[in-house]
Amino acid sequence: MNAVTVVTPTGCIGNRGIDEAALRNCIRVDKPDAIAVDAGSIDCGPWYLGSGKAHSPRRNIEWDLDTILAQAVPAGIKVLVGSAGGSGAARHVEDTVAIVRGIARKRGLRFRLAVIWSDVATDWLRRQVKDGVVPSAIQCATGAVLSSQDIECSETVVGMMGTGPFVDALAEGADVIIAGRAVDAAVIASFPVFKGCDPGLAYHMGDIMECAESCAEEIAPTLRALGHNRIPIVGRIDADGFVLRPAVETLACTPESCLMHSAYERTSLHAIKVPEGTIDRSESRYEKFGDNATRITGSRFEPEPYSILLEGVRKVGYRSIFPIAVRTPAMVAQLDEILADTDKVQQAMFGADGQFKIHWHKYGDDAVLQMAEASHALHEVGVLADVVADSQDLAHDVAYDLLTRLGFWRYPGRYTTAGNIAVTLSPGVVDVGEVYEFSIYHSMPVPDYREIFKTEISVAG
């Protein structure tokens, strides 16, 4: 087989922006067959999946897509984008496709555009239910089976696709692919798999490349000086292994940096579970290759029945927040008791109007590591009050009453009759809006992925 070259220009579409000059240079020098890039993650929490909003600035998303399409389409380079819009649901995909079509019109580009949807319909999930549960859908953290209650309370559910839907779209002649929720590594592995490369090597290459320059070390200071500072990584795969290299000479993909990124977000250094099976990296070798590249060999693919990860969210209420600072030593010393007492008062005052919960985040007092914090010395505390209630009005009123109540709260050793706290903002309370939480995070076997992931192909431009 001939070697296949794939470029990943950024770790996530819209995240800080692609260095345009670096991408242009690597296209000129390396002449890649495909540009493949992830555009999302659930790292930012459930709100983005529930709200349909992107978790990157729109200007950055437009910059990255324009930078890629303007250079790739005229050169005949395939473009693959996964987890479009951040969370990969229909609203995210639709918004990304609108941007892509706008770029095509603006730049006079014309190409075959494939759109792959990843939303999992509630009716389809209902058909899998037996005796109130889906026996084959297992929660990844707890091992619990998916229940009909989980399904009915979820507003949006997506499935994570592997290489199959991308390969199908490429086989149908797609030039640009915008896909819903996808395994990060699968987006990058898909073109090599389409060309006949070993899926174990292709997936491992994608798993390291997916965060772009995060798998590289700086030989000389580079990234801080750049505004758009995502640096492309070039992956070249052949029958026996693959080579990774940054698109600039001031960075290097070293055996150590590639191995470290192989462990990124993984519970095992030796195995990666993907929809089609498992990537066995127990015999993988990482060897220096030239001045700033690494060659990796030995990764193997173990096929298994196809399965997908389901991600779903439900709406749990509305949020209002306020930040304050506490500096008075006596109040700092009694802060836990004061917050617990005010919580009880709020429940007594507003409990009849609906359900709400107050979450306290005490920065400077174990807000990050909590009980694992080694040092407990403090002299001031930044408090973020997070009120989640049945309605925005109730959340707002509870938060505002709580803010003023804390300002005048009487406690032993108080210095003044008011002004217990330093209020950070005006208005003091910020109404955040809808609150979502994850309701589905289950792995489920799917005999035919095409039953879930539907593809539409049209001409853009």
Side-chain angles (χ1 to χ4, degrees):
M1 58 161 282
N2 295 325
V4 173
T5 302
V6 179
V7 168
T8 296
T10 174
C12 182
I13 291 290
N15 185 316
R16 305 200 311 270
I18 299 167
D19 182 340
E20 184 178 15
L23 179 60
R24 183 185 304 111
N25 184 62
C26 81
I27 287 176
R28 179 181 61 82
V29 172
D30 298 288
K31 297 178 173 52
D33 302 289
I35 293 175
V37 59
D38 172 54
S41 173
I42 65 165
D43 292 357
C44 302
W47 183 83
Y48 300 92
L49 179 56
S51 68
K53 303 295 185 181
H55 57 59
S56 292
R58 186 178 181 88
R59 287 176 176 81
N60 287 4
I61 295 172
E62 292 172 346
W63 168 273
D64 283 352
L65 290 172
D66 184 71
T67 299
I68 292 169
L69 294 172
Q71 299 188 45
V73 172
I77 301 168
K78 301 292 186 180
V79 175
L80 295 78
V81 177
S83 297
S87 299
R91 286 179 288 179
H92 304 94
V93 174
E94 290 165 356
D95 196 36
T96 303
V97 169
I99 294 172
V100 167
R101 289 190 180 278
I103 292 168
R105 290 192 298 270
K106 179 184 72 174
R107 290 194 172 271
L109 303 174
R110 187 174 176 83
F111 49 84
R112 285 175 59 80
L113 173 64
V115 180
I116 307 175
W117 308 95
S118 62
D119 293 71
V120 182
T122 300
D123 286 344
W124 185 89
L125 288 170
R126 286 172 179 152
R127 292 196 296 271
Q128 317 309 312
V129 174
K130 296 179 181 178
D131 298 324
V133 299
V134 181
S136 61
I138 306 300
Q139 217 280 346
C140 296
T142 66
V145 295
L146 181 64
S147 70
S148 58
Q149 183 179 359
D150 295 330
I151 294 169
E152 297 305 325
C153 76
S154 298
E155 295 196 0
T156 306
V157 182
V158 294
M160 292 186 73
M161 69 185 77
T163 58
F166 291 96
V167 171
D168 290 347
L170 290 166
E172 292 186 40
D175 300 309
V176 176
I177 302 173
I178 303 298
R181 192 72 171 106
V183 176
D184 300 353
V187 185
I188 300 164
S190 291
F191 190 84
V193 169
F194 171 65
K195 287 296 185 179
C197 295
D198 177 83
L201 292 171
Y203 255 116
H204 193 185
M205 183 176 81
D207 192 56
I208 300 175
M209 292 177 66
E210 53 99 7
C211 281
E213 83 292 334
S214 294
C215 69
E217 297 178 1
E218 284 186 299
I219 299 173
T222 304
L223 302 177
R224 286 189 179 184
L226 300 173
H228 297 120
N229 71 346
R230 299 314 301 260
I231 304 298
I233 295 293
V234 182
R236 186 170 177 82
I237 183 171
D238 55 38
D240 301 315
F242 56 93
V243 175
L244 300 180
R245 179 180 59 77
V248 297
E249 295 181 355
T250 53
L251 270 63
C253 286
T254 67
E256 292 80 9
S257 68
C258 291
L259 179 60
M260 287 173 62
H261 204 73
S262 293
Y264 176 66
E265 296 183 331
R266 298 296 173 197
T267 57
S268 169
L269 184 61
H270 299 304
I272 311 171
K273 182 68 181 79
V274 297
E276 299 89 346
T278 296
I279 311 305
D280 182 357
R281 303 181 294 183
S282 59
E283 301 297 325
S284 299
R285 294 180 58 84
Y286 302 74
E287 300 173 296
K288 182 176 172 58
F289 189 86
D291 292 334
N292 68 339
T294 288
R295 180 168 174 80
I296 299 164
T297 57
S299 309
R300 296 184 297 108
F301 173 64
E302 297 179 354
E304 297 166 356
Y306 198 96
S307 64
I308 62 173
L309 178 63
L310 301 173
E311 296 172 348
V313 295
R314 64 182 176 189
K315 187 166 70 176
V316 295
Y318 297 82
R319 168 173 283 131
S320 292
I321 63 172
F322 64 83
I324 57 174
V326 180
R327 182 64 176 76
T328 305
M331 188 172 183
V332 169
Q334 300 173 65
L335 188 57
D336 288 343
E337 179 183 352
I338 291 170
L339 297 181
D341 287 345
T342 55
D343 196 322
K344 293 176 184 176
V345 172
Q346 302 309 104
Q347 295 293 342
M349 286 193 63
F350 296 97
D353 298 320
Q355 294 185 346
F356 63 89
K357 186 172 180 59
I358 302 168
H359 307 271
W360 298 107
H361 307 278
K362 301 174 292 174
Y363 292 96
D365 187 11
D366 305 345
V368 179
L369 296 182
Q370 299 180 355
M371 297 302 293
E373 182 60 64
S375 173
H376 296 276
L378 67 153
H379 65 275
E380 66 179 18
V381 180
V383 179
L384 178 67
D386 175 11
V387 180
V388 177
D390 290 343
S391 68
Q392 190 68 75
D393 287 344
L394 179 58
H396 180 92
D397 285 354
V398 172
Y400 240 122
D401 185 86
L402 190 57
L403 174 63
T404 55
R405 192 173 299 278
L406 283 169
F408 291 89
W409 190 262
R410 293 176 180 269
Y411 60 89
R414 188 171 65 146
Y415 290 170
T416 64
T417 57
N420 292 334
I421 58 178
V423 179
T424 308
L425 303 176
S426 179
V429 170
V430 179
D431 295 330
V432 177
E434 296 172 326
V435 181
Y436 294 87
E437 69 178 14
F438 288 113
S439 52
I440 297 177
Y441 192 68
H442 294 67
S443 178
M444 180 180 180
V446 178
D448 183 4
Y449 63 80
R450 295 180 181 91
E451 189 177 358
I452 301 292
F453 306 113
K454 306 298 184 183
T455 301
E456 300 171 0
I457 297 182
S458 60
V459 175

